[in-house]
Amino acid sequence: MTTTNKPAAVLALARGGTNHQAATEAGVSTRTILRWREDEEFLQDIAEARTQLLRLAVGRLAAASVKAVDTLVDALDTERGQARVQAAKVLLDATLALRESLDLEERLAALEADRTAQ
């Protein structure tokens, strides 16, 4: 992409921002965002950025999961810490859910790439 404002718009949209928010971050009009969204390459850039954000989130959750597992193991030996146990459980559940989402995203991208190659 040659327009320097597009990466800011791509990131805003990949994060779930509205067209208006993307326009503000990119310093362009909402109408420009709508026009860009008609471009397949722009849409692909948004999808790739979203996948990267998911990968980063999964990585951070995976790293924190070690701490969550330690909390669960510690809870086996103590009666206190109910809030810590609940937080650890939520974190582990979120890690698994995001991992599944990322796997599906990658599989879909591979299928689309195969279809485009044919």
Side-chain angles (χ1 to χ4, degrees):
M1 297 193 161
T2 58
T3 305
T4 58
N5 294 336
K6 282 187 178 181
V10 165
L11 185 56
L13 293 168
R15 288 190 317 243
T18 64
N19 290 334
H20 178 73
Q21 290 167 331
T24 300
E25 289 189 33
V28 298
S29 69
T30 302
R31 185 177 177 121
T32 298
I33 296 296
L34 292 171
R35 190 175 65 250
W36 287 349
R37 290 188 79 138
E38 294 174 5
D39 176 23
E40 274 303 312
E41 183 181 345
F42 185 73
L43 295 176
Q44 184 62 35
D45 288 347
I46 294 169
E48 289 172 7
R50 187 170 290 131
T51 298
Q52 271 306 100
L53 289 172
L54 275 173
R55 283 189 182 123
L56 290 172
V58 168
R60 290 191 67 197
L61 283 171
S65 293
V66 172
K67 193 173 182 178
V69 169
D70 289 343
T71 298
L72 289 172
V73 170
D74 289 344
L76 292 173
D77 297 329
T78 181
E79 304 238 351
R80 62 184 183 15
Q82 184 64 24
R84 289 177 61 214
V85 170
Q86 184 61 30
K89 182 183 179 322
V90 168
L91 183 67
L92 289 171
D93 289 346
T95 301
L96 293 174
L98 271 176
R99 182 67 220 169
E100 288 173 4
S101 178
L102 183 58
D103 286 345
L104 288 173
E105 181 94 16
E106 289 174 346
R107 288 179 186 172
L108 181 60
L111 287 172
E112 288 174 347
D114 286 347
R115 191 179 80 179
T116 303
Q118 293 175 353

